Amino acid sequence: MAQDLRSFLDLVKRNRAADFQIVSKPVDARYEITGLVAKLEKEGRRRPVLLFENVSGTTFPVLTNLHASRGRLATAINAAPDKMLETYLRAMDKPIPPRIVKTGPVKEVVRRGGDVDLLALPQIVHHERDAGPYVTAAISFAKDPGGETWNCAYNRLMIQGRDRTSIHLTLGKHLWEFHKLAEARGEPLPVAFAIGVHPAIALGALAIGSIDEDERAIMGALLGEPLELVKCETSDVLVPAHAELVLEGEILPAARTPEGPFGEFTGYSLGERQREIVRYTAITHRRDAMFQDITVAHLDHMLLSTIPMEANLYRAVRAMIPSVKAVRVPSPFTCYVSIEQRLPGQAKNAMMAVFGADLYMKRVVVVDHDVDVFDDRQVNWALATRCQPDRDITIITHARGSDLDPSTREDGYTAKWGVDATAKPSVAAFTPRHRVPPDVWQRLRLEDYLG
Ligand code: MN
């Protein structure tokens, strides 16, 4: 399987030409790219990959909306659309370590030092109130400053000069931890960002698990072959050899800069904060590199991130409750779980498993196996008819959650709640559901009565 973005785009074009649209008409990098994707999603109900050839202020074409379809993401990891969870879990179970290669297409153009100019990149402003242009499709690659553990993550970057961006390091997560360790030694943390990659690499970057789990090996397992990495020009950081573009730099110690507001996946434009600074030492890219954008807070962003989340949460709940049926992340900070409850207390164990497995999870609703968690009406029905709030709501106070949750008093310092919407003491012993008797249901043929 080829591991570059271009061969994946060829596959998309071959499968369904209408899923890839080139826009030649000039567009303004401020609002128009996001505006067109959002409008297409809302009014056109279409989600093609879009390649903007003429973007104001840059010679780079912009590719966006790549991840906006479950079918495309399934194709990327060689899975049937309804087997993505299984495929992702298999990749987590059987990671394939990366392979280091001498060089790759990402080195076709190398700019270092004074030739680094982030202002030559597309200066994409996504939403009203955003503080400036943001890079939303940058995958960070970094190493534990005191060890051999590697980490990959998506981090939003606000362009703040020719060789400088701010970076949002999710408080309490892995890259934030690496930076804390480096900062304690008074050292910068070498980092590189890959922009424009095969969607299997994107999905792998979002794997949630222990800091010791190597996302690069999950990328390999999703690709079905080792991810090929090359060494950076200005550090020992390893980056995907087939990326469209790589930014090399370091996160500075003891330096912060104002960042934001920025419209995020929560649906809010969260205000300005003091955040870490990245100084860039090189840019390398393909000769005719496409600059990838993720249309933040729209399907391109939301579909991509929930698949790895659901896989991790399913794994965590299954470790506790073997009879778990399904897990879904329907909206920010929220998880629905259905279980075949065999013993009292398992619903609460499911909640604890979810809270223990994902920093972002703030509300868990547990339902019985006869409720389809992919149908919000059914979940609401269970909440209404099987739940007594004074008995079934568990509140956890003073925990760590997402620093992007606007309802928290202090960024990310939050309460969490679990709702047990399973029937008590069990579905079998609960008031029976009504139904048409099965023999009548079988016998009735609509066409006999209604023509
Ligand atoms: Mn990690």
Side-chain angles (χ1 to χ4, degrees):
M1 187 151 134
Q3 51 182 270
D4 61 333
L5 174 56
R6 287 157 193 243
S7 17
F8 180 72
L9 292 177
D10 287 341
L11 187 66
V12 170
K13 287 181 236 175
R14 270 206 308 280
N15 287 351
R16 226 165 74 95
D19 278 356
F20 183 82
Q21 300 257 306
I22 293 175
V23 181
S24 309
K25 199 176 155 94
V27 290
D28 195 330
R30 291 175 65 84
Y31 311 124
E32 288 193 352
I33 293 174
T34 307
L36 284 163
V37 174
K39 208 153 182 174
L40 201 58
E41 198 172 294
K42 193 161 186 245
E43 294 177 7
R45 308 239 172 245
R46 292 170 54 212
R47 318 161 173 192
V49 184
L50 293 169
L51 182 68
F52 293 95
E53 289 181 326
N54 283 295
V55 178
S56 62
T58 184
T59 55
F60 288 91
V62 172
L63 183 94
T64 194
N65 220 31
L66 179 66
H67 315 116
S69 124
R70 276 186 87 88
R72 275 204 292 279
L73 294 173
T75 304
I77 58 171
N78 207 11
D82 60 339
K83 291 281 179 282
M84 290 180 80
L85 182 85
E86 287 89 331
T87 305
Y88 204 93
L89 285 167
R90 218 179 310 124
M92 291 174 103
D93 281 348
K94 294 192 167 55
I96 300 177
R99 173 167 63 215
I100 299 171
V101 295
K102 281 218 159 55
T103 189
V106 73
K107 302 287 193 184
E108 284 170 4
V109 177
V110 176
R111 296 184 201 285
R112 307 152 164 273
D115 288 338
V116 170
D117 186 9
L118 301 178
L119 303 178
L121 299 176
Q123 306 293 297
I124 303 172
V125 183
H126 296 81
H127 292 106
E128 200 179 17
R129 292 199 185 86
D130 283 4
Y134 272 79
V135 181
T136 56
I139 300 175
S140 61
F141 286 73
K143 191 167 77 68
D144 178 342
E148 281 306 313
T149 308
W150 285 84
N151 193 70
C152 298
Y154 274 96
N155 302 93
R156 73 186 199 208
L157 307 172
M158 179 181 159
I159 300 174
Q160 303 221 1
R162 278 176 67 94
D163 68 343
R164 180 162 300 250
T165 68
S166 52
I167 180 168
H168 172 238
L169 302 171
T170 301
L171 299 182
K173 292 209 86 171
H174 304 163
L175 188 59
W176 178 88
E177 176 69 16
F178 286 179
H179 177 252
K180 281 282 156 212
L181 294 170
E183 194 168 50
R185 303 163 165 211
E187 291 170 5
L189 179 75
V191 66
F193 301 94
I195 300 171
V197 295
H198 191 287
I201 297 174
L203 282 164
L206 288 159
I208 298 170
S210 156
I211 195 166
D212 297 315
E213 286 173 11
D214 189 344
E215 290 88 359
R216 303 170 313 163
I218 296 172
M219 294 168 185
L222 292 170
L223 285 164
E225 65 183 28
L227 176 68
E228 294 191 344
L229 298 171
V230 280
K231 202 172 89 58
C232 280
E233 299 298 306
T234 54
S235 73
D236 291 331
V237 174
L238 299 166
V239 288
H242 302 275
E244 291 294 313
L245 185 142
V246 160
L247 305 175
E248 302 181 9
E250 52 188 21
I251 309 178
L252 304 178
R256 300 291 187 271
T257 187
E259 188 252 11
F262 181 64
E264 262 290 0
F265 76 99
T266 55
Y268 294 94
S269 174
L270 207 66
E272 181 184 295
R273 298 286 187 276
Q274 290 292 315
R275 299 212 199 267
E276 291 77 1
I277 300 168
V278 186
R279 193 181 66 86
Y280 294 87
T281 47
I283 297 183
T284 75
H285 60 82
R286 287 171 179 257
R287 211 163 285 117
D288 52 350
M290 292 176 280
F291 183 86
Q292 192 179 352
D293 170 66
I294 290 179
T295 308
V296 64
H298 295 275
L299 285 170
D300 192 19
H301 185 185
M302 306 309 270
L303 287 181
L304 183 70
S305 50
T306 45
I307 290 155
M309 263 185 212
E310 286 170 359
N312 175 55
L313 292 169
Y314 182 87
R315 177 175 72 157
V317 176
R318 191 159 162 85
M320 191 73 103
I321 299 139
S323 53
V324 59
K325 282 284 165 290
V327 167
R328 178 185 170 212
V329 175
S331 54
F333 319 134
T334 302
C335 179
Y336 295 162
V337 183
S338 65
I339 59 170
E340 186 159 2
Q341 189 158 224
R342 304 199 193 284
L343 295 163
Q346 283 185 313
K348 194 164 281 185
N349 286 24
M351 285 172 206
M352 293 192 292
V354 166
F355 289 137
D358 190 322
L359 180 79
Y360 273 44
M361 288 304 135
K362 176 182 170 190
R363 180 170 68 112
V364 184
V365 178
V366 186
V367 295
D368 292 298
H369 57 281
D370 62 337
V371 175
D372 178 3
V373 292
F374 292 93
D375 181 349
D376 287 329
R377 286 171 57 116
Q378 291 192 38
V379 175
N380 276 316
W381 171 81
L383 279 164
T385 61
R386 294 179 174 179
C387 188
Q388 283 294 309
D390 57 344
R391 177 192 61 193
D392 296 328
I393 293 180
T394 302
I395 295 176
I396 295 153
T397 60
H398 306 101
R400 177 50 49 186
S402 166
D403 57 359
L404 298 177
D405 176 355
S407 74
T408 60
R409 262 160 296 193
E410 182 187 319
D411 285 354
Y413 191 41
T414 186
K416 305 199 174 203
W417 53 313
V419 186
D420 176 355
T422 61
K424 286 94 189 165
S426 68
V427 181
F430 201 66
T431 310
R433 293 177 73 163
H434 61 58
R435 62 177 184 182
V436 175
D439 59 316
V440 178
W441 184 266
Q442 286 294 331
R443 171 164 55 76
L444 286 179
R445 286 154 40 95
L446 289 177
E447 54 271 32
D448 292 347
Y449 295 85
L450 302 166

